[in-house]
Amino acid sequence: MSGSAAPDDRQLVVRGARPAEHSALLAVWERSVRATHSFLTEADIAFYGPLTAEILAGDTLELWVLTNDADVPIGFLGLAGDAIEALFLEPVHRRQGGGRRLVAHAQ
């Protein structure tokens, strides 16, 4: 597609999350929430941040990370059994197929 800002799909990789990435995933979560959850207040984000950090560091969710060609996380999906419990993308990567890619991986 000429003039498209979407990244080359071949450069995006879905892989399991690494323990050392939990703080990076928390940062993705916060940027995504700020961009998409306008109903949350600053107090809500401050409240949910530590809970989200705990979930990301625990084993409640099976975490899958979407990375760019430099292996930098740009989104993630959390599974609990067969249920998608979390799906967050960097705001600049929204509407480019990354969420669909993560969901397809989960199916």
Side-chain angles (χ1 to χ4, degrees), residues 40-99:
L40 292 178
T41 66
E42 284 299 316
D44 293 333
I45 294 170
F47 174 80
Y48 288 115
L51 297 174
T52 302
E54 187 176 319
I55 291 168
L56 291 173
D59 61 0
T60 304
L61 295 179
E62 179 183 341
L63 294 172
W64 293 95
V65 177
L66 180 70
T67 64
N68 63 16
D69 60 345
D71 199 36
V72 174
I74 61 170
F76 68 93
L77 177 140
L79 288 173
D82 292 335
I84 296 172
E85 298 294 337
L87 178 59
F88 296 94
L89 292 169
E90 286 285 6
V92 298
H93 292 284
R94 290 180 59 226
R95 302 195 178 276
Q96 297 178 13

Side-chain angles (χ1 to χ4, degrees), residues 26-40:
L26 182 61
V28 169
W29 169 83
E30 184 172 344
R31 287 187 292 271
S32 180
V33 163
R34 288 184 184 283
T36 61
H37 292 58
S38 59
F39 54 90
L40 292 178

